Amino acid sequence: MPPKSKSTPAAKPATRTSSRTTTPSTLAAAKPKRTSTAEPNAREKKAQQFFDQYKDEQADEIYPVGLVQMCNDLEIDPASDVAILVFAWKCGAKRSGIFEKAEFLEGLRKINVFTLPDLKASLDSLRAEVRDGTTPAYRDFFRFSFQISREENEKTLDLETTCGLLNIVMGDRFPHNQLFQDFLQQSSTKRVNLDQWTNFLELCKLVKPDFSNYDPEGAWPLLLDDFATYVKNLKMAS
């Protein structure tokens, strides 16, 4: 019986040598960069502490008592200073005099402030955002101011609230403002709805102080037609 022949081992495939040289710089580039979360976390903590300073003890919301205290600390009068209303607009607040926690923190993030001193330093910037009454942003803010000022389950504003709000959001920048308030006080109107409110802003932007270009055939609410007649009668009597 012939002896078994020894099997020849299979040849190993040649190992390819990479021409790419590994250097410390390439190793560093290959490592994923770590994003530090220390700074955002510190800011969020400050914002949380800011909210906690004024929130109700029994709920995660700032109620009117806490809001009044915050305004006192900011040294502003919410009955006459538009800044706190602009901040509420930034927060997307849904109820007058109340900030939910998520709303308040979101508002702080939007304007990039996290403490009471930060917010106080930003008040002039907030006022400046609604100084130009011709911008789409101001139109949105004007609409928001009506909606948040309504009493719960109400779709309209009483005259006292309407006039007070007009003084805050318009002031003396619009020549029709004071005349409109005078007209409301002597008219039979008791409440103002959103359509009348928003159209009054459009009237302020489009109609001359003497109403010479007012079109009574335009799609104005009846309340504004009556206002135009009131102004024209005043002009004729003077």
mmCIF file of all heavy atoms in Angstrom, residues 168-189:
data_model
loop_
_atom_site.group_PDB
_atom_site.id
_atom_site.type_symbol
_atom_site.label_atom_id
_atom_site.label_comp_id
_atom_site.label_asym_id
_atom_site.label_seq_id
_atom_site.Cartn_x
_atom_site.Cartn_y
_atom_site.Cartn_z
ATOM 1 N N ILE A 168 -52.160 100.969 25.486
ATOM 2 C CA ILE A 168 -50.909 100.224 25.662
ATOM 3 C C ILE A 168 -50.280 99.888 24.316
ATOM 4 O O ILE A 168 -49.090 100.101 24.102
ATOM 5 C CB ILE A 168 -51.156 98.928 26.461
ATOM 6 C CG1 ILE A 168 -51.597 99.252 27.895
ATOM 7 C CG2 ILE A 168 -49.885 98.066 26.505
ATOM 8 C CD1 ILE A 168 -52.027 98.038 28.686
ATOM 9 N N VAL A 169 -51.064 99.356 23.394
ATOM 10 C CA VAL A 169 -50.492 98.822 22.150
ATOM 11 C C VAL A 169 -50.348 99.873 21.047
ATOM 12 O O VAL A 169 -49.546 99.687 20.121
ATOM 13 C CB VAL A 169 -51.318 97.631 21.621
ATOM 14 C CG1 VAL A 169 -51.336 96.508 22.648
ATOM 15 C CG2 VAL A 169 -52.734 98.036 21.256
ATOM 16 N N MET A 170 -51.107 100.972 21.147
ATOM 17 C CA MET A 170 -51.022 102.017 20.121
ATOM 18 C C MET A 170 -50.433 103.314 20.645
ATOM 19 O O MET A 170 -49.657 103.964 19.956
ATOM 20 C CB MET A 170 -52.408 102.302 19.534
ATOM 21 C CG MET A 170 -52.879 101.298 18.517
ATOM 22 S SD MET A 170 -54.378 101.880 17.678
ATOM 23 C CE MET A 170 -54.380 100.821 16.234
ATOM 24 N N GLY A 171 -50.826 103.694 21.842
ATOM 25 C CA GLY A 171 -50.351 104.965 22.381
ATOM 26 C C GLY A 171 -50.764 106.124 21.504
ATOM 27 O O GLY A 171 -51.858 106.155 20.944
ATOM 28 N N ASP A 172 -49.850 107.076 21.325
ATOM 29 C CA ASP A 172 -50.161 108.252 20.499
ATOM 30 C C ASP A 172 -49.537 108.169 19.113
ATOM 31 O O ASP A 172 -49.445 109.156 18.399
ATOM 32 C CB ASP A 172 -49.692 109.526 21.216
ATOM 33 C CG ASP A 172 -48.200 109.488 21.539
ATOM 34 O OD1 ASP A 172 -47.518 108.499 21.171
ATOM 35 O OD2 ASP A 172 -47.706 110.447 22.164
ATOM 36 N N ARG A 173 -49.120 106.966 18.717
ATOM 37 C CA ARG A 173 -48.488 106.817 17.397
ATOM 38 C C ARG A 173 -49.512 106.837 16.266
ATOM 39 O O ARG A 173 -49.173 107.067 15.114
ATOM 40 C CB ARG A 173 -47.697 105.501 17.333
ATOM 41 C CG ARG A 173 -46.445 105.493 18.191
ATOM 42 C CD ARG A 173 -45.841 104.108 18.227
ATOM 43 N NE ARG A 173 -46.748 103.144 18.829
ATOM 44 C CZ ARG A 173 -46.766 101.850 18.521
ATOM 45 N NH1 ARG A 173 -45.959 101.390 17.602
ATOM 46 N NH2 ARG A 173 -47.597 101.029 19.136
ATOM 47 N N PHE A 174 -50.765 106.555 16.588
ATOM 48 C CA PHE A 174 -51.818 106.529 15.582
ATOM 49 C C PHE A 174 -52.814 107.652 15.877
ATOM 50 O O PHE A 174 -53.450 107.657 16.932
ATOM 51 C CB PHE A 174 -52.541 105.180 15.602
ATOM 52 C CG PHE A 174 -51.677 104.023 15.191
ATOM 53 C CD1 PHE A 174 -50.905 103.353 16.131
ATOM 54 C CD2 PHE A 174 -51.626 103.609 13.872
ATOM 55 C CE1 PHE A 174 -50.104 102.280 15.759
ATOM 56 C CE2 PHE A 174 -50.838 102.538 13.488
ATOM 57 C CZ PHE A 174 -50.071 101.873 14.437
ATOM 58 N N PRO A 175 -52.974 108.599 14.965
ATOM 59 C CA PRO A 175 -53.813 109.769 15.239
ATOM 60 C C PRO A 175 -55.284 109.435 15.472
ATOM 61 O O PRO A 175 -56.005 110.219 16.090
ATOM 62 C CB PRO A 175 -53.638 110.634 13.985
ATOM 63 C CG PRO A 175 -53.145 109.709 12.929
ATOM 64 C CD PRO A 175 -52.344 108.681 13.637
ATOM 65 N N HIS A 176 -55.755 108.295 14.974
ATOM 66 C CA HIS A 176 -57.168 107.946 15.151
ATOM 67 C C HIS A 176 -57.466 107.375 16.531
ATOM 68 O O HIS A 176 -58.644 107.266 16.905
ATOM 69 C CB HIS A 176 -57.592 106.920 14.099
ATOM 70 C CG HIS A 176 -57.532 107.421 12.692
ATOM 71 N ND1 HIS A 176 -58.069 108.632 12.306
ATOM 72 C CD2 HIS A 176 -56.991 106.872 11.568
ATOM 73 C CE1 HIS A 176 -57.875 108.800 11.005
ATOM 74 N NE2 HIS A 176 -57.224 107.758 10.538
ATOM 75 N N ASN A 177 -56.455 106.984 17.271
ATOM 76 C CA ASN A 177 -56.666 106.222 18.497
ATOM 77 C C ASN A 177 -57.549 106.958 19.516
ATOM 78 O O ASN A 177 -58.572 106.440 19.960
ATOM 79 C CB ASN A 177 -55.321 105.852 19.138
ATOM 80 C CG ASN A 177 -55.491 104.988 20.374
ATOM 81 O OD1 ASN A 177 -56.525 104.371 20.588
ATOM 82 N ND2 ASN A 177 -54.459 104.938 21.195
ATOM 83 N N GLN A 178 -57.166 108.167 19.876
ATOM 84 C CA GLN A 178 -57.927 108.882 20.902
ATOM 85 C C GLN A 178 -59.337 109.230 20.433
ATOM 86 O O GLN A 178 -60.311 109.113 21.190
ATOM 87 C CB GLN A 178 -57.188 110.159 21.331
ATOM 88 C CG GLN A 178 -57.814 110.856 22.534
ATOM 89 C CD GLN A 178 -57.952 109.930 23.735
ATOM 90 O OE1 GLN A 178 -56.968 109.359 24.197
ATOM 91 N NE2 GLN A 178 -59.164 109.773 24.250
ATOM 92 N N LEU A 179 -59.461 109.626 19.173
ATOM 93 C CA LEU A 179 -60.792 109.938 18.631
ATOM 94 C C LEU A 179 -61.693 108.705 18.647
ATOM 95 O O LEU A 179 -62.892 108.797 18.926
ATOM 96 C CB LEU A 179 -60.671 110.459 17.201
ATOM 97 C CG LEU A 179 -60.496 111.973 17.022
ATOM 98 C CD1 LEU A 179 -60.321 112.309 15.548
ATOM 99 C CD2 LEU A 179 -61.677 112.740 17.613
ATOM 100 N N PHE A 180 -61.109 107.561 18.358
ATOM 101 C CA PHE A 180 -61.888 106.325 18.356
ATOM 102 C C PHE A 180 -62.384 105.995 19.765
ATOM 103 O O PHE A 180 -63.536 105.588 19.949
ATOM 104 C CB PHE A 180 -61.040 105.177 17.805
ATOM 105 C CG PHE A 180 -61.769 103.876 17.659
ATOM 106 C CD1 PHE A 180 -62.901 103.782 16.859
ATOM 107 C CD2 PHE A 180 -61.331 102.730 18.314
ATOM 108 C CE1 PHE A 180 -63.590 102.574 16.711
ATOM 109 C CE2 PHE A 180 -62.010 101.524 18.179
ATOM 110 C CZ PHE A 180 -63.134 101.442 17.375
ATOM 111 N N GLN A 181 -61.538 106.212 20.735
ATOM 112 C CA GLN A 181 -61.945 105.967 22.121
ATOM 113 C C GLN A 181 -63.056 106.941 22.539
ATOM 114 O O GLN A 181 -64.012 106.549 23.225
ATOM 115 C CB GLN A 181 -60.751 106.093 23.052
ATOM 116 C CG GLN A 181 -59.709 104.992 22.860
ATOM 117 C CD GLN A 181 -58.580 105.071 23.876
ATOM 118 O OE1 GLN A 181 -58.818 105.232 25.064
ATOM 119 N NE2 GLN A 181 -57.351 104.968 23.410
ATOM 120 N N ASP A 182 -62.927 108.200 22.138
ATOM 121 C CA ASP A 182 -63.973 109.182 22.438
ATOM 122 C C ASP A 182 -65.302 108.762 21.797
ATOM 123 O O ASP A 182 -66.374 108.864 22.417
ATOM 124 C CB ASP A 182 -63.577 110.569 21.919
ATOM 125 C CG ASP A 182 -62.367 111.129 22.654
ATOM 126 O OD1 ASP A 182 -62.055 110.634 23.755
ATOM 127 O OD2 ASP A 182 -61.739 112.057 22.107
ATOM 128 N N PHE A 183 -65.194 108.284 20.551
ATOM 129 C CA PHE A 183 -66.389 107.820 19.837
ATOM 130 C C PHE A 183 -67.040 106.639 20.562
ATOM 131 O O PHE A 183 -68.264 106.600 20.731
ATOM 132 C CB PHE A 183 -65.996 107.434 18.408
ATOM 133 C CG PHE A 183 -66.977 106.517 17.738
ATOM 134 C CD1 PHE A 183 -68.214 106.987 17.299
ATOM 135 C CD2 PHE A 183 -66.667 105.171 17.548
ATOM 136 C CE1 PHE A 183 -69.119 106.134 16.686
ATOM 137 C CE2 PHE A 183 -67.572 104.313 16.935
ATOM 138 C CZ PHE A 183 -68.801 104.795 16.504
ATOM 139 N N LEU A 184 -66.229 105.680 20.989
ATOM 140 C CA LEU A 184 -66.773 104.498 21.670
ATOM 141 C C LEU A 184 -67.521 104.879 22.947
ATOM 142 O O LEU A 184 -68.579 104.320 23.253
ATOM 143 C CB LEU A 184 -65.646 103.520 22.013
ATOM 144 C CG LEU A 184 -65.012 102.754 20.846
ATOM 145 C CD1 LEU A 184 -63.848 101.900 21.342
ATOM 146 C CD2 LEU A 184 -66.044 101.881 20.127
ATOM 147 N N GLN A 185 -66.980 105.848 23.669
ATOM 148 C CA GLN A 185 -67.579 106.235 24.948
ATOM 149 C C GLN A 185 -68.967 106.854 24.783
ATOM 150 O O GLN A 185 -69.815 106.760 25.673
ATOM 151 C CB GLN A 185 -66.662 107.206 25.691
ATOM 152 C CG GLN A 185 -65.306 106.617 26.067
ATOM 153 C CD GLN A 185 -65.400 105.439 27.030
ATOM 154 O OE1 GLN A 185 -66.415 105.240 27.690
ATOM 155 N NE2 GLN A 185 -64.341 104.656 27.122
ATOM 156 N N GLN A 186 -69.213 107.500 23.648
ATOM 157 C CA GLN A 186 -70.522 108.144 23.459
ATOM 158 C C GLN A 186 -71.457 107.341 22.543
ATOM 159 O O GLN A 186 -72.592 107.738 22.317
ATOM 160 C CB GLN A 186 -70.322 109.563 22.907
ATOM 161 C CG GLN A 186 -69.607 109.632 21.562
ATOM 162 C CD GLN A 186 -70.532 109.418 20.384
ATOM 163 O OE1 GLN A 186 -71.555 110.087 20.257
ATOM 164 N NE2 GLN A 186 -70.171 108.467 19.521
ATOM 165 N N SER A 187 -70.950 106.210 22.033
ATOM 166 C CA SER A 187 -71.771 105.399 21.130
ATOM 167 C C SER A 187 -72.623 104.403 21.927
ATOM 168 O O SER A 187 -72.465 104.246 23.138
ATOM 169 C CB SER A 187 -70.884 104.641 20.137
ATOM 170 O OG SER A 187 -70.215 103.568 20.793
ATOM 171 N N SER A 188 -73.492 103.711 21.221
ATOM 172 C CA SER A 188 -74.324 102.687 21.862
ATOM 173 C C SER A 188 -73.596 101.345 21.949
ATOM 174 O O SER A 188 -74.116 100.388 22.533
ATOM 175 C CB SER A 188 -75.630 102.515 21.073
ATOM 176 O OG SER A 188 -75.351 102.117 19.739
ATOM 177 N N THR A 189 -72.405 101.282 21.389
ATOM 178 C CA THR A 189 -71.616 100.042 21.414
ATOM 179 C C THR A 189 -71.151 99.745 22.836
ATOM 180 O O THR A 189 -70.650 100.630 23.531
ATOM 181 C CB THR A 189 -70.388 100.175 20.490
ATOM 182 O OG1 THR A 189 -70.833 100.451 19.161
ATOM 183 C CG2 THR A 189 -69.555 98.901 20.490
#
